[in-house]
């Protein structure tokens, strides 16, 4: 029998209930939830959106930050000089910080320091969703996007502690103070909520690609449905070796790096 | 008996103060105007009957918000069969302006400015370079 | 409200102390309003170190709250009569510390107006939901127990029978609050220094050392300032508990140290390099970690010597060491340690800012004022009951005159100076 983490968490929850002898009801709702989840996983008609970043193509255009600019523009991401307050949905990090340092030991320095885009991995088992006390972040059943509801977030930042990728940012100050122009197509956020990339859920609904994918001049980012064997992303993953960030944590990241 | 004048004056003042809300109401009814709302120039119909909009537009907005953010439904079919994108900035603000419409009525009704504008962008502001 | 009038009589020094605390609360309230309008950016926290002093203090106070069980359990389950006069003090301390916990969480929230979302949209898979639930439950249970037993004592009756099961329930519940708080950290995949099953046991061990140490100090001060004596036997009993708990706590740390250093897995050693050993880059926590460890070891050695334990002066000194070392360990280092190295390997310094420290101090002042008032009420009830009817009057008078009792006995006096 496979004992998933979700079941484990629910079981511990149930034990807590039994231990203190209250909210017996919660056990039943918990049990129902897990039933729904297991039947949901059995049907594979659902999408699982994912992204593949070809670092070789990305390397061809050093100093290119078009994906980041497109995202910042599309989502009203403020610019703060103080690194403590920065908001990042997609940003770049030196290549060797993405993966275990041991693996890049003998890499040439300038290969090591190649700036590589990072963003929310839209995990299969997102720890941020597991810990959120209000359901302000959740995993969308239909396509697997880890969504944010900025109307509900209470700003406790538990999700930031939980995310093993540093993909979440908190609005330490009013974000509008860091914006020169406002894009009316997407709301800004407000002081005191957490935010992150949502694979441009609002653009996908209109049939568009994520802003970063669309903006990449090298076509280094491939976006698609990982559940569809015919999709371009699956074809690429079938024929080449790709890495994911910290897969050993069991979070099931859906952003792949071709190296 | 020199105190009498003070006592009477005090009583009158007290009466005046305590009945002030009443007089204020009378005065207000006589002089107040309903707010002059800037209505859309080229449109005749709102997304729902006007009586509904007048009383329940906040409920409609919250329904839209839940439907978009949590249920991934972005289309709204109005009572007269038109299809709208469920968006505060993208739809309401296409026809209405914030300052002359929403704000004016909210000010009149004493509800203050809804906190939605902390995040949702008033298109009139969007063009302006901010400091 | 219930017996509040007893807290409204007191000497000049009592009022000076209460007034001082109120002034601190007022000042920190202003700091909080500043934080509310300018955002949590006025604190030292950052994108990488996203929890800091507030959540650290919260964790530490959960421990102090849970430690009430260390007087309740021996008294009710093992019939240790010598703890009779101490239990109500322990329970009042628990009520005050849980309140502080809640305040610390509240001041840490980005959008406090939306706090009810936790109950409007409960998420059973979130440990934080369970933590909130267990903390509020613990507050209610202890408030009920203290009120009912004080009331009974005041009217010289036996407490009603229905309270007994609630008291028994408070024992596992106390364990649960700190266990769930440990789960808050231990269940996160990406934070290596927290992700260890020893988190909950170590939390409990350190709690059962720090909490009773504080209680000992409070009792000694009460005796010195009001003449109210919980009894030498009670203090000695508690000091044994502190000793055992501290020994277990240090033992747990050594187990963690061995596992990390001998296995030499980078994710595990990192924590101890940050705290005790030091590397070129990791410096900001180092002094705190080292001081804390040193104080812990000294305190343990002192406590292990029977002579030191039996002498109340040296015992008090040891208790101060226990409390402050664990305050640093849990209230400052533990939380920050999980964030110092970001998931992407960046090392971020964290230094609390002035508004942050003011707000923290204010929450401590709230706790101090609660303890002061509660203890005053408890003492006037106890003393009135125990003194012969004729002397009761005089006694009440005297205790009022000596009402400054609580000046040093509040946790604020010990904790505030570190903040």
């Amino acid at each position: 029998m496979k004992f998933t983490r979700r079941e484990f968490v629910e079981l511990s929850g149930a034990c807590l209930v039994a231990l203190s002898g209250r909210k017996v009801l919660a056990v039943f709702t918990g049990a129902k939830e897990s039933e729904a989840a297991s039947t949901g996983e059995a049907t594979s008609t659902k999408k699982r959106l994912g992204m593949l970043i070809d670092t070789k193509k990305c390397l061809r255009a050093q100093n290119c930050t078009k994906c980041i600019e497109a995202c910042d523009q599309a989502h009203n991401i403020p610019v703060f000089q103080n690194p403590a307050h920065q908001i990042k949905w997609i940003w770049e990090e030196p290549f060797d910080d993405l993966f275990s340092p041991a693996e890049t030991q003998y890499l040439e320095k300038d290969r090591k320091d190649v700036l590589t885009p990072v963003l929310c991995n839209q995990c299969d088992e997102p720890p941020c969703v597991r810990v959120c006390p209000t359901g302000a972040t959740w995993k969308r059943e239909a396509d697997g996007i880890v969504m944010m509801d900025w109307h509900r977030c209470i700003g406790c930042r538990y999700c930031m502690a939980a995310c093993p990728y540093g993909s979440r940012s908190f609005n330490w100050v009013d974000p509008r103070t860091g914006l020169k122009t406002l894009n009316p197509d997407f709301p800004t956020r407000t002081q005191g909520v957490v935010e992150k990339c949502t694979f441009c859920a609002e653009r996908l609904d209109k049939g568009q690609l994520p802003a970063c994918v669309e903006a990449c001049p090298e076509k280094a980012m491939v976006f698609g449905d990982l559940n569809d064997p015919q999709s371009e992303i699956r074809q690429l993953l079938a024929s080449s070796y790709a890495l994911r960030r910290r897969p050993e944590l069991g979070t099931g990241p859906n952003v792949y790096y071709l190296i | 008996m020199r105190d009498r004048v003070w006592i009477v004056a005090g009583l009158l003042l007290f009466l005046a103060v305590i009945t002030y809300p009443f007089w204020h109401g009378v005065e207000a009814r006589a002089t107040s105007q309903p707010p002059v709302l800037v209505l859309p120039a080229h449109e005749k119909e709102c997304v729902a009957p006007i009586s509904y909009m007048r009383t329940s537009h906040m409920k409609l907005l919250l329904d839209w918000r839940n439907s978009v953010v949590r249920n991934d439904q972005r289309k709204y079919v109005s009572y007269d069969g038109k299809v709208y994108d469920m968006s505060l900035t993208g739809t309401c603000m296409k026809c209405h302006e914030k300052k002359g419409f929403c704000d004016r009525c909210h000010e009149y009704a004493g509800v203050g400015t809804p906190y939605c504008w902390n995040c949702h962008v008033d298109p009139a502001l969007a063009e302006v370079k901010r400091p | 409200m219930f017996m509040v009038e007893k807290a409204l009589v007191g000497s000049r020094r009592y009022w000076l102390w209460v007034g001082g605390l109120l002034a601190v609360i007022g000042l920190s309230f202003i700091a909080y309003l500043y934080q509310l309008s300018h955002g949590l950016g006025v604190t030292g926290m950052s994108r990488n170190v996203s929890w800091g002093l507030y959540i650290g203090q919260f964790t530490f106070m959960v421990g102090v709250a849970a430690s009430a069980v260390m007087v309740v359990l021996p008294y009710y389950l093992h019939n240790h009569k010598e703890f009779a006069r101490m239990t109500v003090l322990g329970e009042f301390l628990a009520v005050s510390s849980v309140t502080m916990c809640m305040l610390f969480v509240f001041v840490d929230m980005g959008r406090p107006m939306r706090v009810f979302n936790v109950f409007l949209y409960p998420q059973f898979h979130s440990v934080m939901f369970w933590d909130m639930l267990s903390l509020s439950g613990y507050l209610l249970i202890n408030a009920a127990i203290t009120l009912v037993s004080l009331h009974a004592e005041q009217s010289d009756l036996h407490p009603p029978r229905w309270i007994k099961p609630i008291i028994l329930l408070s024992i596992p519940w106390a364990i649960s609050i700190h266990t769930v708080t440990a789960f808050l950290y231990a269940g996160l995949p990406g934070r290596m220094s927290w992700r260890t099953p020893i988190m909950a046991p170590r939390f409990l061990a350190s709690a059962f050392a720090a909490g009773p140490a504080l209680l000992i100090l409070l009792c000694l001060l009460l005796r010195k300032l009001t003449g109210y004596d919980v009894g030498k036997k009670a203090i000695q009993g508690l000091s044994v508990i502190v000793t055992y708990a501290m020994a277990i706590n240090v033992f747990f740390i050594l187990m963690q140290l061995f596992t990390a250093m001998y296995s030499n897995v980078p994710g595990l050693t990192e924590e101890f390099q940050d705290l005790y050993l030091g590397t070129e880059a990791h410096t900001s926590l180092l002094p705190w970690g080292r001081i804390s460890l040193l104080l812990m070891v000294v305190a343990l050695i002192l406590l292990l010597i029977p002579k030191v334990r039996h002498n109340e002066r040296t015992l008090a000194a040891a208790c101060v060491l226990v409390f402050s070392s664990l305050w640093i360990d849990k209230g400052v280092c533990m939380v920050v340690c999980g964030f110092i190295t970001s998931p992407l390997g960046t090392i971020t310094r964290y230094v609390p800012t002035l508004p942050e420290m003011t707000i923290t101090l204010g929450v401590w002042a709230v706790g101090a004022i609660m303890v002061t008032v509660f203890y005053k009420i408890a003492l006037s009830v106890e003393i009135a009951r125990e003194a012969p009817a004729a002397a009761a009057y005089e006694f009440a008078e005297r205790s009022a005159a000596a009402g400054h009792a609580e000046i040093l006995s509040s946790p604020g006096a010990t904790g505030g100076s570190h903040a």
Side-chain angles (χ1 to χ4, degrees):
Chain A
M1 195 188 95
K2 206 170 146 247
F3 197 54
T4 67
R5 176 174 291 110
R6 185 184 185 124
E7 279 159 355
F8 172 74
V9 170
E10 266 155 12
L11 195 69
S12 340
C15 290
L16 278 170
V17 175
L19 194 76
S20 44
R22 71 204 133 103
K23 285 255 174 189
V24 181
L25 203 70
V27 182
F28 297 117
T29 46
K32 261 200 220 114
E33 221 172 78
S34 80
E35 259 167 45
S38 55
T39 50
E41 256 146 37
T43 57
S44 61
T45 52
K46 295 214 173 78
K47 284 192 188 174
R48 176 108 323 171
L49 295 178
M51 188 184 282
L52 176 74
I53 298 176
D54 188 336
T55 56
K56 280 209 250 21
K57 285 188 184 167
C58 194
L59 187 63
R60 280 213 302 261
Q62 271 292 294
N63 305 323
C64 164
T65 51
K66 291 230 165 59
C67 53
I68 300 171
E69 282 155 23
C71 178
D72 287 0
Q73 217 282 320
H75 301 113
N76 280 314
I77 312 275
V79 179
F80 293 116
Q81 291 317 311
N82 182 352
H85 297 167
Q86 274 167 5
I87 308 283
K88 301 173 186 171
W89 285 28
I90 178 169
W91 73 104
E92 8 172 56
E93 290 284 344
F95 178 78
D96 72 329
D97 285 347
L98 265 55
F99 307 101
S100 167
E103 285 158 32
T104 53
Q105 195 177 4
Y106 296 116
L107 211 57
E108 276 170 27
K109 177 117 175 66
D110 43 342
R111 283 302 296 269
K112 251 190 206 181
D113 292 345
V114 165
L115 292 173
T116 312
V118 286
L119 65 163
C120 169
N121 282 294
Q122 316 288 347
C123 303
D124 286 337
E125 293 282 342
C128 53
V129 168
R130 206 177 304 144
V131 302
C132 178
T134 62
T137 188
W138 73 100
K139 189 152 180 77
R140 197 152 83 176
E141 284 288 316
D143 53 13
I145 295 184
V146 177
M147 290 290 292
M148 273 297 308
D149 185 346
W150 285 283
H151 306 97
R152 196 183 282 182
C153 174
I154 59 172
C156 70
R157 310 192 292 296
Y158 197 8
C159 54
M160 295 177 77
C163 178
Y165 304 104
S167 293
R168 288 179 163 268
S169 309
F170 181 72
N171 284 280
W172 297 99
V173 295
D174 182 358
R176 291 200 182 181
T177 56
L179 285 166
K180 288 220 173 59
T181 52
L182 293 175
N183 169 9
D185 298 336
F186 198 81
T188 64
R189 271 68 60 203
T190 183
Q191 182 178 293
V193 297
V194 173
E195 59 183 80
K196 70 166 195 81
C197 154
T198 59
F199 265 173
C200 285
E202 80 288 356
R203 290 171 58 94
L204 298 179
D205 281 354
K206 291 189 211 137
Q208 295 168 309
L209 280 173
C212 52
V213 177
E214 198 179 87
C216 180
E218 296 288 333
K219 302 271 168 284
M221 292 168 142
V222 179
F223 183 79
D225 179 7
L226 290 166
N227 276 354
D228 173 10
Q230 306 310 317
S231 63
E232 187 191 355
I233 184 168
R234 275 288 293 273
Q235 305 278 318
L236 281 168
L237 284 173
S239 60
S240 33
Y241 196 75
L243 288 179
R244 293 186 289 173
R245 292 171 63 199
R246 306 182 79 177
E248 74 279 7
L249 295 178
T251 52
N254 282 312
V255 175
Y256 290 79
Y257 292 86
L258 218 57
I259 46 169
Chain B
M1 283 291 130
R2 282 228 311 287
D3 291 346
R4 176 175 288 168
V5 59
W6 292 113
I7 292 171
V8 171
L11 274 175
L12 282 179
L13 192 68
F14 174 72
L15 267 178
V17 168
I18 207 164
T19 55
Y20 172 73
F22 173 73
W23 300 113
H24 180 76
V26 168
E27 186 244 11
R29 191 156 324 145
T31 59
S32 80
Q33 301 284 326
V36 185
L37 299 178
V38 181
L39 285 178
H42 307 293
E43 297 287 348
K44 288 274 159 301
E45 297 288 333
C46 195
V47 296
I50 180 154
S51 57
Y52 178 81
M53 288 311 284
R54 220 166 251 173
T55 55
S56 309
H57 59 280
M58 38 275 166
K59 189 179 167 305
L60 180 94
L61 280 172
L62 294 191
D63 287 349
W64 279 22
R65 164 179 107 178
N66 289 344
S67 144
V68 168
V69 180
R70 303 208 73 97
N71 301 326
D72 197 22
Q73 293 299 321
R74 285 183 188 255
K75 290 281 175 261
Y76 173 79
V77 184
S78 74
Y79 69 111
D80 52 1
K82 287 207 194 91
V83 178
Y84 292 99
D85 214 18
M86 290 196 247
S87 169
L88 175 51
T89 300
T91 304
C92 310
M93 293 299 131
K94 272 225 173 80
C95 293
H96 298 298
E97 59 173 275
K98 176 170 175 287
K99 237 175 135 205
F101 186 76
C102 314
D103 284 1
R104 197 165 287 172
C105 183
H106 289 154
E107 211 168 281
Y108 171 76
V111 283
T113 314
Y115 66 90
C116 321
W117 303 111
N118 287 350
C119 300
H120 291 268
V121 180
D122 173 12
L125 264 187
E127 313 309 330
V128 185
K129 280 250 178 195
R130 296 174 57 86
Chain C
M1 227 188 76
F2 183 73
M3 292 188 269
V4 170
E5 74 280 359
K6 296 200 162 55
L8 295 180
V9 284
S11 66
R12 240 189 72 164
R13 280 171 80 177
Y14 170 73
W15 283 113
L16 266 180
W17 167 241
V18 171
L21 286 179
L22 286 176
V24 172
I25 293 172
L27 193 71
S28 80
F29 189 68
I30 294 172
Y32 181 67
L33 291 182
Y34 174 70
Q35 175 186 298
L36 205 58
S37 70
H38 288 72
L40 281 159
V42 305
T43 68
M45 291 183 275
S46 59
R47 193 177 187 280
N48 287 340
V49 184
S50 50
W51 279 344
L53 194 57
Y54 297 149
I55 296 296
Q57 296 295 296
F58 153 78
T59 312
F60 180 74
M61 289 322 290
V62 175
V64 175
S67 72
V69 76
M70 282 292 115
V71 282
V72 173
L73 190 142
Y75 180 60
Y76 286 101
L77 289 190
H78 300 282
N79 219 17
H80 277 251
K81 285 283 175 257
E82 69 265 23
F83 281 160
R85 304 179 97 186
M86 214 181 228
T87 42
V88 85
L89 300 185
E91 284 157 353
F92 269 139
L93 185 60
V95 172
S96 316
S97 357
V98 179
T99 312
M100 285 172 67
C101 292
M102 294 181 158
L103 285 175
F104 275 124
V105 173
F106 189 77
V107 298
D108 189 65
M109 282 175 34
R111 300 219 66 82
M113 309 314 174
R114 299 183 185 171
V115 59
F116 290 110
N117 283 359
V118 178
F119 300 103
L120 287 177
Y121 313 100
Q123 304 289 315
F124 300 112
H125 49 70
S126 170
V127 185
M128 193 172 285
F129 168 77
W130 293 104
D131 208 36
M132 292 271 202
L133 208 65
S134 69
L135 280 178
S136 351
Y138 193 64
L139 181 64
L140 283 182
I141 287 182
N142 274 287
I145 295 173
T146 41
L147 286 185
V148 168
S149 35
L150 259 197
H151 210 71
E153 250 174 57
Q154 190 189 27
S155 31
D156 228 345
L157 295 169
H158 278 294
R161 287 186 50 202
W162 57 263
I163 199 72
K164 189 75 193 265
I166 297 186
I167 292 174
L168 294 183
L169 176 63
S170 83
I171 294 171
W173 203 297
I175 309 284
S176 91
I177 62 168
H178 217 22
T179 309
V180 178
T181 305
F183 287 174
L184 217 56
Y185 301 102
L188 304 181
R191 309 274 169 193
M192 287 292 266
S193 68
W194 296 342
R195 201 187 61 199
T196 155
I198 211 161
M199 202 72 161
R202 197 178 142 189
F203 268 19
L204 285 167
S206 59
F208 295 158
L214 178 63
L215 198 55
I216 290 180
L217 291 172
L218 291 179
C219 290
L220 289 177
L221 277 159
L222 276 190
R223 182 166 70 205
K224 186 148 179 231
L225 298 170
T226 67
Y228 179 78
D229 190 2
V230 293
K232 205 170 160 63
K233 268 182 90 180
I235 299 222
Q236 286 306 317
L238 258 189
S239 76
V240 173
I241 291 174
V242 174
T243 311
Y244 271 112
M246 193 61 176
I248 295 173
N249 178 52
V250 172
F251 176 62
F252 283 167
I253 294 180
L254 292 177
M255 303 226 310
Q256 269 189 295
L257 246 168
F258 170 80
T259 318
M261 302 325 283
Y262 196 81
S263 72
N264 200 25
V265 175
L268 295 175
T269 54
E270 219 163 59
E271 174 188 6
F272 298 100
Q273 263 152 6
D274 287 347
L275 284 181
Y276 308 131
L277 308 169
T279 56
E280 326 83 74
H282 310 195
T283 49
S284 64
L285 273 185
L286 202 56
W288 290 100
R290 285 183 175 167
I291 288 178
S292 160
L293 192 65
L294 182 75
L295 295 185
M296 269 189 232
V297 172
V298 173
L300 183 60
I301 293 172
L302 285 180
L303 284 171
L304 284 173
I305 304 169
K307 253 204 187 126
V308 174
R309 230 175 31 241
H310 295 326
N311 178 338
E312 282 181 354
R313 271 170 187 274
T314 43
L315 175 65
C319 284
V320 171
L321 291 184
V322 168
F323 188 82
S324 42
S325 66
L326 295 174
W327 182 84
I328 299 173
D329 183 50
K330 232 160 141 184
V332 180
C333 297
M334 191 277 302
V335 169
V336 179
C337 201
F339 290 107
I340 279 284
T341 310
S342 84
L344 282 150
T346 317
I347 287 150
T348 316
R349 273 183 81 88
Y350 165 73
V351 182
T353 58
L354 193 63
E356 196 176 0
M357 289 193 273
T358 314
I359 292 169
T360 305
L361 197 65
V363 177
W364 276 95
V366 171
I369 229 170
M370 287 181 73
V371 167
T372 307
V373 168
F374 286 153
Y375 279 18
K376 184 144 180 65
I377 292 174
L379 285 208
S380 37
V381 170
E382 299 258 327
I383 288 171
R385 193 176 67 108
E386 284 168 17
Y393 236 93
E394 186 210 343
F395 226 115
E397 211 92 304
R398 206 182 88 188
S399 75
H404 59 269
E406 297 82 356
I407 290 188
L408 289 166
S409 65
S410 70
T414 349
S417 56
H418 293 282

